[in-house]
């Protein structure tokens, strides 16, 4: 029998413990399965988007322990013991100021790049609340947006930086 | 009006589809699943040109978990598709003509099984010589790709006699321009979900720009009545023209029918690249002459467009290019000859700009070159030849009168960016002698609508629904442009409704009227016109009902937020009281109140197929930086003046120009789906380079010129495409201003811009002198 004729036996799944959007879970999937497909196909979490599958567009961006990664390049086993945040996690407590800034400044059109873009912005600002234009450019240059020409996105990021500063200042005054 | 958030005030609104987009909640059609769903996959040709001698599917069909393997034998109806001219096989019978041609398709339980099944299908090919160059395709030596030969379409336009015209010219410029095979690169690749219901009807959940066109084409393929098909087609993760034609729909529909199970397809990026449409690569040769005053005497153009293996809208794109190589100028003698040619390269088709991008790059290049010969300012030469408002259109056809050309030209020349020209400081250039900056500009008149001779229906419906919502129903699609937001804004601003009063229904062929296609920069114009037509009808129908219940004369009533109000005669009185809410009115009426309008996109009184009646004008100035050590060009500032009538949605307008211009930046500098021997070399986004945020360091000002002649009845003109057509020639002009090198081929090859005296520059760089 030719190799190709053997019936396909699904790859053995293993149990991978991790935290997904704050919930501790076990992923019962083959260890080399890409996180993008685990999220979209196994967990029906479609906020994370698929576009190039090779790590060049950022549509599939999620945070792993606060660091932005392309989920299309991340294998399930690499998430073992890690904390994953997807766009659903960012939105869990209502609309985040970054998301509000995208809404108000028009930082999206078709919206397909938007979840990944927002993840990258969040990872940037959580780590560096007052980035320079060059740092913004570097942090977002892995996220392709074909619709907006980035104008609305740049304005949204500026707005989000301002808002976060304001709320930080008002917190420190009241605190 | 300079478009920005601040200047727009309350007219800058959050898009109604925004919250679901920024939170990731929005389910795109490729996010959908259904219980019991199978995965569909398509087997495509590895060869750009070959004869199929046998297809064996037995092994694939025998694989466990495979539910269907189909070939051309399984297509019950017409085994062809194509919007204008159906010549593309759904599944090839005996010949493949490009590397995206579909030969078989499978439906299986899992992705892995479906892909394994594709590997088990055996196809015997007899490789044929290929035609990978459009000019070669027109020679007698080239193999014929279709029974009519390799010419899909020829079109031209003549006026006077160019031969004697050139004899009378003081200066003549001859140049050949080349434009790339640009890819739409919508971030959501093609895909969808296909379900046959209990009632035997097919529901297609797949992006498209004209649901009714898909319905007609699929009915023809499946040999079932159109009424048995429902197309759900929005929301869409980007299209730019690329999803107007059928893509995966025939395979999904056929597989769902044969397996009687829901079938999902979602193209990988590579499959999208190999099978999908691109912008037509064009070779445009121009010979243009002026007298010693700079008056255009003769203009001769030859266009060769590589349309790929099948027609889709190749003929229509060529017609558009023929019109736009003439453009907004007047010539005594004209001779344009265009050829759209079949090859074994990738499919070319509809793409934002629709042939205008290529044409305008070439035409504007001629002006810059002629001006130099004349020793004239390039803009002055344009002004001397620019059409007057009462002049006929490019094909001598009557067109809607506006001052657009003059308006954008005056605005651009008054811009700070243009004023800076010639005064660029030399300090920065001394600090980094290999960096040079320059300023350039270009001009456009871009047609909207499908043009004369092509059915271009429009229309829509307003209903006071049973639950009291005001329903606005159109068959237009939302692919990101902000159509829903614009429609909502028009209903609020023109009728006085609140956003909560409104329910917008689009993208479902079972419930929407045929408003025509969402293409050709036409949807906003057509929605505006529809609402203009519907307003008196809807007022009459609904307010007269309200009058019965509130015991007020109908003519003293008006629509407002939440319900019907009395028109306040005395502005001081604060009697702004809602007399009856929409839900109460709907309940009192007992049945929905509906008004409908249908009409045709305005066309010119001409016989020339494709000639336009409505145009949008734009003038663009840019400042670029050329790095002579790397040959790289950086766009520093852009200024766009756009005359398109009243701005319906400032955020949407700005977004269209910014986004269109970004695509034009890619067209000018980096984007090319490179092919060799009929095979794609750029298979994904690692080698096909679309602009990132890092390429958008510069600023962009968008000036919207809203004034129209008083008696204009056409309202807002299209702006979906115009942002993408004028930037490339402006960049080319700015590069010349910076380094004195003329660009004829896009994307611009950095090697062309490397300093000739590289060593000298390097010396300076190292010594810091
Ligand atoms: S899909 Fe992961 S980077 Fe493009
Ligand atoms: S909004 Fe469409 S790709 Fe960014």
């Amino acid at each position: 029998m030719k190799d190709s004729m053997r019936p396909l036996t699904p790859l053995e799944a293993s149990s991978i413990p991790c935290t997904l959007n704050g919930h501790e879970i076990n992923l019962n999937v083959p260890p080399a399965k890409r996180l993008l497909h685990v999220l979209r196909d196994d967990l029906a979490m479609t906020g994370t988007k698929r576009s190039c599958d090779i790590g060049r567009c950022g549509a599939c961006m999620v945070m792993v322990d606060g660091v932005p990664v392309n989920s299309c390049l991340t294998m399930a086993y690499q998430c073992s013991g890690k904390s994953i945040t997807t766009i659903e996690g960012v939105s869990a407590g209502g609309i985040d100021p970054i998301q509000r800034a995208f809404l108000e400044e028009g930082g999206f059109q078709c919206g397909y790049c938007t979840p990944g873009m927002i993840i990258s912005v969040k990872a940037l600002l959580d780590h560096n609340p007052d980035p320079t234009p060059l740092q913004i450019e570097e942090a977002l240059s892995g996220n392709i947006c074909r619709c907006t020409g980035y104008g609305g996105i740049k304005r949204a990021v500026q707005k989000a930086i301002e808002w976060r500063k304001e709320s930080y200042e008002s917190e420190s005054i009241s605190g | 009006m300079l478009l920005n958030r601040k200047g727009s005030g309350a007219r800058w609104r959050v898009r109604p589809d925004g919250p679901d987009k920024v939170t990731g909640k929005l389910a795109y059609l490729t996010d959908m699943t259904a219980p019991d769903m199978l995965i569909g996959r398509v087997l495509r040709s590895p060869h750009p040109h070959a004869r199929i001698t046998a297809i064996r599917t037995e092994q694939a069909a025998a694989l466990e978990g495979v539910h269907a393997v189909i070939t051309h034998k399984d297509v019950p109806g017409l085994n062809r598709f194509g919007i204008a001219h159906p010549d593309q096989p759904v599944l090839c019978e005996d010949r493949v003509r490009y590397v995206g041609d579909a030969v078989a398709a499978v439906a299986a339980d899992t992705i892995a099984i479906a892909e394994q099944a594709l590997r088990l299908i055996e196809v015997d090919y007899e490789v044929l010589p290929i035609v990978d160059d459009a000019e070669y395709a027109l020679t007698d030596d080239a193999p014929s790709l279709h029974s009519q030969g390799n010419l899909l379409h020829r079109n031209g336009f003549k006026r006077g006699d160019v031969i004697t015209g050139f004899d009378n010219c003081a200066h003549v410029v001859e140049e050949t321009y080349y434009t790339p095979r640009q890819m739409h690169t919508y971030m959501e690749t093609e895909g969808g979900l296909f379900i046959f219901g209990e009632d035997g009807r097919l529901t297609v959940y797949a992006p498209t720009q004209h649901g009714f066109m898909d319905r007609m084409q699929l009915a023809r393929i499946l040999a079932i009545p159109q009424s048995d098909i429902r197309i759900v087609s929005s929301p869409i993760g980007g299209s730019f023209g690329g999803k107007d034609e059928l893509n995966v729909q025939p395979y999904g529909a056929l597989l769902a029918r044969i397996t009687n199970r829901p079938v999902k397809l979602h193209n990988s990026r590579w499959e999208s690249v190999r099978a999908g449409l691109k912008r037509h690569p064009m070779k445009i040769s121009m010979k243009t002459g002026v007298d010693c005053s700079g008056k255009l005497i003769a203009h001769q153009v030859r266009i060769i467009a590589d349309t790929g293996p099948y027609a889709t809208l190749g003929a229509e794109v060529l017609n558009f290019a023929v019109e736009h190589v003439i453009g907004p100028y007047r010539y005594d003698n004209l001779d344009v000859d265009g050829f759209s040619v079949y090859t074994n390269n990738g499919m070319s088709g509809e793409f934002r700009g629709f042939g205008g991008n290529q044409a305008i790059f070439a035409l504007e290049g001629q002006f810059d070159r002629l001006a130099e010969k004349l020793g004239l300012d390039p803009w002055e030469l344009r002004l001397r030849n620019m059409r007057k408002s009462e002049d006929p259109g490019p094909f001598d056809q009557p067109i809607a009168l506006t001052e657009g050309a003059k308006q954008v030209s005056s605005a651009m020349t008054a811009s700070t960016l243009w004023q800076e020209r010639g005064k660029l400081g030399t300090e920065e250039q001394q600090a980094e002698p290999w960096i040079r900056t320059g300023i350039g500009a270009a001009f456009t008149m871009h047609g909207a609508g499908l043009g004369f001779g092509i059915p271009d229906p429009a229309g829509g419906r307003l209903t006071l629904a049973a639950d009291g919502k005001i329903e606005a129903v159109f068959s237009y699609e939302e692919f990101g442009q902000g159509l829903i937001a614009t429609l909502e804004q028009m209903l609020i601003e023109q009728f006085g409704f609140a956003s909560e009063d409104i329910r917008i229904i689009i993208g479902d062929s079972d419930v929407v009227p045929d408003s025509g296609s969402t293409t050709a920069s036409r949807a906003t114009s057509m929605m505006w016109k529809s609402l203009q037509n519907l307003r008196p009808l809807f007022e009459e129908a609904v307010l007269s009902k309200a009058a019965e219940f509130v015991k007020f004369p109908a003519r003293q009533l008006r629509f407002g937020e939440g319900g019907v109000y009395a028109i306040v005669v005395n502005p001081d009185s604060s009697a702004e009281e809602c007399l009856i809410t929409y839900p109460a009115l709907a309940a009192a009426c007992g049945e929905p109140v509906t008004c409908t309008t249908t009409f045709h996109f305005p066309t010119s009184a001409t016989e020339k197929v494709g000639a336009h009646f409505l145009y949008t004008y734009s003038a663009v100035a840019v400042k670029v930086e050329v790095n002579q050590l790397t040959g790289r060009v950086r766009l520093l500032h852009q200024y766009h003046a756009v005359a398109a009538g009243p701005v319906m949605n400032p955020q949407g307008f700005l977004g269209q120009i910014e986004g269109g211009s970004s695509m034009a930046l890619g067209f000018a500098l980096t984007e090319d789906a490179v092919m060799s021997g009929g095979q794609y070399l750029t298979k994904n986004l690692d080698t096909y380079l679309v602009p990132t945020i890092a390429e958008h360091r510069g600023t962009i000002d968008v000036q919207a010129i809203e004034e129209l002649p008083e008696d204009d009845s056409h309202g807002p003109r299209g702006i979906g495409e115009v942002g993408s057509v004028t930037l490339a020639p402006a960049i080319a002009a700015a590069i010349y201003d910076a380094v004195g090198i003329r660009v004829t081929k896009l994307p611009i090859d950095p090697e062309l811009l490397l300093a000739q005296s590289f060593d000298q520059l390097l010396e300076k760089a190292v010594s810091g002198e």
Side-chain angles (χ1 to χ4, degrees):
Chain A
M1 198 191 246
K2 276 205 303 198
D3 247 11
S4 55
M5 279 304 290
R6 288 213 192 97
L8 288 177
T9 41
L11 290 170
E12 199 129 333
S14 55
S15 178
I16 300 161
C18 63
T19 307
L20 178 60
N21 295 331
H23 304 286
E24 285 177 19
I25 58 161
N26 279 303
L27 295 176
N28 294 308
V29 298
K33 189 163 186 178
R34 306 294 162 130
L35 178 57
L36 173 63
H37 300 285
V38 174
L39 291 170
R40 287 180 60 87
D41 302 340
D42 299 334
L43 302 173
M45 291 168 63
T46 56
T48 305
K49 300 301 181 199
R50 167 193 185 219
S51 186
C52 73
D53 271 325
I54 59 161
R56 296 304 289 239
C57 76
C60 66
M61 207 69 99
V62 301
M63 284 186 278
V64 175
D65 286 348
V67 175
V69 300
N70 292 314
S71 63
C72 69
L73 297 183
T74 308
M75 296 193 202
Y77 81 89
Q78 294 174 297
C79 300
S80 179
K82 301 262 165 72
S83 173
I84 305 159
T85 308
T86 67
I87 189 69
E88 287 89 352
V90 175
S91 318
I95 295 228
D96 182 276
I98 296 173
Q99 290 167 319
R100 191 149 55 87
F102 270 73
L103 286 174
E104 296 211 350
E105 294 295 337
F108 63 92
Q109 287 179 25
C110 82
Y112 203 80
C113 71
T114 314
M117 192 70 78
I118 284 174
I119 291 279
S120 290
V121 176
K122 185 158 172 52
L124 167 69
L125 299 188
D126 283 354
H127 171 77
N128 176 4
D130 200 8
T132 63
L134 222 63
Q135 287 168 328
I136 296 173
E137 227 169 66
E138 191 177 317
L140 301 186
S141 59
N143 290 80
I144 292 175
C145 175
R146 190 55 157 167
C147 298
T148 63
Y150 306 94
I153 294 170
K154 289 197 282 188
R155 293 188 285 273
V157 174
Q158 286 309 336
K159 175 77 24 173
I161 293 170
E162 275 169 44
W163 278 345
R164 285 165 66 113
K165 260 194 221 160
E166 279 167 25
S167 72
Y168 175 76
E169 276 160 18
S170 64
E171 259 167 45
S172 31
I173 292 165
S174 62
Chain B
M1 174 178 58
L2 203 58
L3 286 179
N4 53 44
R5 180 175 168 193
K6 210 163 146 225
S8 307
R11 299 201 68 216
W12 185 277
R13 300 172 53 84
V14 168
R15 287 172 58 145
D17 54 351
D20 282 353
K21 286 184 173 173
V22 301
T23 54
K25 275 202 198 85
L26 183 72
Y28 292 81
L29 303 170
T30 51
D31 290 333
M32 292 179 67
T33 55
D36 225 19
M37 172 184 97
L38 300 173
I39 300 294
R41 280 285 189 276
V42 179
L43 183 71
R44 299 189 186 270
S45 168
H47 307 293
H49 195 196
R51 187 166 309 289
I52 299 174
T53 53
I55 308 175
R56 288 179 295 277
T57 59
E58 298 76 13
Q59 292 196 16
L63 185 68
E64 206 179 303
V66 171
H67 295 260
V69 183
I70 58 170
T71 66
H72 63 93
K73 295 200 187 93
D74 302 292
V75 180
L78 179 71
N79 185 22
R80 291 290 181 276
F81 65 98
I83 292 175
H85 174 50
D87 66 353
Q88 178 161 6
V90 174
L91 289 160
C92 296
E93 295 103 358
D94 55 0
R95 193 167 170 195
V96 291
R97 293 181 181 84
Y98 87 117
V99 291
D101 252 336
V103 178
V106 303
D109 286 331
T110 66
I111 296 172
I113 297 172
E115 285 175 354
Q116 178 70 352
L118 290 190
R119 286 189 284 271
L120 292 174
I121 299 171
E122 291 173 299
V123 186
D124 295 341
Y125 292 103
E126 200 182 291
V127 171
L128 297 170
I130 64 163
V131 180
D132 64 349
D133 179 87
E135 271 189 303
Y136 166 65
L138 288 177
T139 64
D140 292 341
D141 301 344
S144 235
L145 299 183
H146 292 274
S147 51
Q148 84 265 32
N150 293 336
L151 183 65
L152 164 64
H153 182 57
R154 180 174 184 181
N155 187 19
F157 187 73
K158 276 193 171 64
R159 179 191 305 146
D161 172 16
V162 289
I163 309 285
T164 48
F166 284 121
D167 287 344
N168 298 326
C169 286
H171 302 282
V172 174
V173 163
E174 264 192 275
E175 190 66 90
T176 299
Y177 301 85
Y178 300 84
T179 61
R181 188 184 306 280
Q182 187 179 27
M183 179 163 76
H184 305 71
T185 327
Y186 25 74
M187 296 311 289
E188 178 194 36
T189 55
E190 307 82 355
L193 183 62
F194 303 83
I195 304 178
F196 268 92
E198 306 260 290
D199 56 0
R201 291 185 80 225
L202 166 68
T203 302
V204 172
Y205 300 92
T208 180
Q209 291 184 220
H210 192 185
F212 287 103
M213 180 62 74
D214 283 21
R215 192 177 73 164
M216 185 277 283
Q217 292 212 66
L218 286 174
R220 214 160 54 179
I221 293 165
L222 296 169
I224 62 175
Q226 291 191 42
S227 55
D228 282 359
I229 303 177
R230 173 182 175 211
I231 308 280
V232 178
S233 37
S234 285
I236 302 172
S239 181
F240 316 111
K243 292 174 185 164
D244 197 22
E245 185 59 272
L246 289 181
N247 43 71
V248 300
Q249 293 93 334
Y251 315 105
L254 289 166
L255 290 168
R257 184 176 169 103
I258 284 169
T259 59
N260 213 16
R261 302 253 303 256
V263 173
K264 176 172 181 169
L265 286 106
H266 189 183
N267 276 350
S268 68
R269 179 59 63 179
W270 163 230
E271 189 151 10
S272 173
V273 171
R274 78 192 288 193
L277 303 179
K278 309 286 179 298
R279 190 183 296 294
H280 284 78
M282 288 191 194
K283 175 181 176 189
I284 303 180
S285 305
M286 287 188 172
K287 182 174 176 188
T288 313
V290 290
D291 67 14
C292 52
S293 73
K295 182 180 175 342
L296 285 168
I297 304 295
H299 184 47
Q300 189 176 29
V301 185
R302 182 181 155 94
I303 306 169
I304 309 270
D306 178 351
T307 209
Y310 304 108
T312 182
L313 293 178
E316 290 69 21
V317 169
L318 179 71
N319 292 345
F320 199 94
V322 166
E323 185 184 27
H324 287 72
V325 292
I326 303 168
Y329 307 106
R330 301 298 300 162
Y331 316 78
D332 291 345
N333 305 287
L334 256 178
D335 181 5
V336 182
D337 200 5
F339 304 80
S340 190
V341 185
Y342 288 121
T343 68
N344 295 119
N345 289 327
M347 279 291 292
S348 302
E350 175 179 344
F351 191 167
R352 189 184 213 170
F354 210 75
N357 324 56
Q358 301 94 320
I360 292 159
F361 168 63
L363 177 62
E364 292 297 288
Q366 289 295 92
F367 275 81
D368 291 337
R369 287 161 177 78
L370 279 168
E372 188 180 24
K373 285 211 167 191
L374 283 156
L376 261 185
D377 175 90
W379 207 261
E380 177 56 31
L381 179 63
R382 285 171 172 85
L383 285 174
R384 287 187 191 179
N385 293 285
M386 197 173 280
R387 67 186 311 280
K388 308 276 175 301
S389 86
E390 62 289 348
D391 280 336
F395 290 144
D396 291 338
Q397 83 277 26
I399 67 173
L401 291 189
T402 76
E403 295 290 340
K406 202 157 77 190
Q407 288 165 329
V408 296
S409 171
S410 320
M412 192 285 292
T413 47
S415 69
T416 347
L417 176 50
W418 188 247
Q419 292 295 328
E420 205 189 320
R421 196 174 50 125
K423 301 181 199 132
L424 287 183
T426 47
E427 315 85 63
E428 45 194 309
Q429 305 196 337
Q430 276 163 0
E432 292 178 311
W434 54 92
I435 302 279
R436 318 220 52 111
T437 49
I439 290 176
F443 183 55
T444 295
M445 166 191 194
H446 203 260
L450 304 185
F452 175 80
I454 303 165
D456 205 0
R461 191 166 74 220
L462 276 184
T463 298
L464 174 66
D467 64 352
K469 289 280 185 198
I470 310 288
E471 276 180 3
V473 194
F474 288 88
S475 73
Y476 298 126
E477 314 291 349
E478 175 62 64
F479 36 72
Q481 79 278 45
L483 180 124
I484 295 173
T486 302
L487 180 54
E488 184 189 84
Q489 189 154 356
M490 288 195 283
L491 287 163
I492 291 170
E493 293 180 350
Q494 293 171 22
F495 287 73
F497 304 133
S499 64
E500 304 74 49
D501 301 332
I502 300 166
R503 177 163 51 226
I504 288 174
I505 300 178
I506 59 162
D508 181 343
S509 65
D510 267 12
V511 294
V512 298
D514 191 355
S515 324
S517 63
T518 316
T519 63
S521 303
R522 69 192 292 283
T524 297
S525 301
M526 293 301 93
M527 290 192 303
W528 180 87
K529 189 79 189 161
S530 298
L531 294 184
Q532 290 282 306
N533 293 349
L534 286 167
R535 191 167 162 188
L537 304 177
F538 199 59
E539 280 176 350
E540 163 69 27
V542 177
L543 295 182
S544 65
K545 286 277 181 200
E548 286 172 31
F549 303 117
V550 301
K551 309 276 181 269
F552 234 82
R555 68 192 143 70
Q556 286 179 27
L557 296 176
R558 66 166 177 88
F559 293 123
E561 295 190 359
V564 174
Y565 292 68
I567 293 172
V568 186
V569 228
N570 172 5
D572 295 334
S573 95
S574 54
E576 274 291 272
E577 193 195 339
C578 177
L579 299 176
I580 185 166
T581 65
Y582 296 123
L585 179 56
C589 290
E591 55 183 34
V593 185
T594 290
C595 298
T596 309
T597 179
T598 52
F599 53 102
H600 194 273
F601 192 96
T603 49
S604 175
T606 175
E607 290 301 311
K608 181 73 181 166
V609 170
H612 289 86
F613 183 64
L614 298 182
Y615 292 85
T616 301
Y617 296 84
S618 103
V620 173
V622 300
K623 180 175 173 184
V624 305
E625 185 181 279
V626 180
N627 183 327
Q628 291 184 289
L629 288 186
T630 61
R632 296 285 168 193
V633 176
R634 171 175 291 167
L635 186 53
L636 298 176
H637 300 297
Q638 314 176 45
Y639 173 90
H640 295 245
V642 183
V647 174
M648 293 295 104
N649 171 354
Q651 187 189 105
F653 194 124
L654 179 61
Q656 283 304 298
I657 303 303
E658 287 179 333
S661 145
S662 175
M663 285 192 143
L665 178 64
F667 178 68
L669 297 185
T670 55
E671 293 186 38
D672 191 9
V674 181
M675 301 200 82
S676 171
Q679 301 282 354
Y680 278 103
L681 302 183
T682 45
K683 294 180 160 61
N684 205 324
L685 304 181
D686 51 347
T687 46
Y688 187 88
L689 301 176
V690 305
T692 72
I693 197 168
E695 277 76 50
H696 287 271
R697 196 165 290 170
T699 55
I700 171 165
D701 287 328
V702 177
Q703 176 88 27
I705 297 165
E706 302 189 273
E707 295 71 34
L708 288 172
E710 245 170 53
D711 56 350
D712 181 89
S713 61
H714 307 295
R717 313 299 205 250
I719 45 127
E721 298 173 279
V722 74
S724 71
V725 295
T726 327
L727 189 82
I731 290 178
I735 289 174
Y736 185 75
D737 188 41
V739 294
I741 295 170
R742 291 283 181 207
V743 169
T744 53
K745 186 171 183 291
L746 301 181
I748 296 164
D749 181 0
E751 256 182 66
L752 178 76
L753 304 180
L754 290 179
Q756 300 303 322
S757 50
F758 184 80
D759 292 342
Q760 231 177 320
L761 267 181
L762 201 64
E763 185 90 336
K764 277 196 209 170
V766 173
S767 67
E769 274 166 22

